[in-house]
Amino acid sequence: MGLIPVFVLSVLFFVMMFGIGFILNMLMKTTWFPAYLFVIVILPVVVYSIWDRSAMTLLEHLSSFHIVDYLTGIAGLIGAVLSGWTIRKLRIGGYKMF
């Protein structure tokens, strides 16, 4: 995969997770829920859903991912964590709606 599609994919996942995390933080009045949700629920569900359990073990499956897959996951995680950090800073700044 070329450099430009990888960059676009990473930016899209970052923006998507930041936006979803920001909205969840506003609605649920939490700070780090989206980051926990991403690590505990979303990543395992994605890995489990595309895993061919009859053909390979978990370690073989994880090693079959490419750098693009890991960059996308890391960009999503950074977006989720940054949304929590942003909400925390807005609350410290005195904004009551967040």
Side-chain angles (χ1 to χ4, degrees), residues 37-57:
L37 182 72
F38 187 81
V39 171
I40 295 172
V41 176
I42 295 174
L43 285 180
V45 166
V46 168
V47 169
Y48 185 76
S49 67
I50 61 174
W51 179 19
D52 182 15
R53 288 165 291 289
S54 65
M56 60 181 74
T57 65

Side-chain angles (χ1 to χ4, degrees), residues 30-91:
T30 63
T31 302
W32 301 112
F33 177 72
Y36 297 142
L37 182 72
F38 187 81
V39 171
I40 295 172
V41 176
I42 295 174
L43 285 180
V45 166
V46 168
V47 169
Y48 185 76
S49 67
I50 61 174
W51 179 19
D52 182 15
R53 288 165 291 289
S54 65
M56 60 181 74
T57 65
L58 177 63
L59 291 177
E60 291 172 343
H61 176 64
L62 291 177
S63 67
S64 69
F65 289 138
H66 299 290
I67 190 71
V68 175
D69 303 320
Y70 290 113
L71 287 176
T72 304
I74 290 170
L77 180 62
I78 290 171
V81 169
L82 195 61
S83 72
W85 182 80
T86 304
I87 287 289
R88 189 179 63 158
K89 289 297 181 184
L90 287 171
R91 286 185 187 140

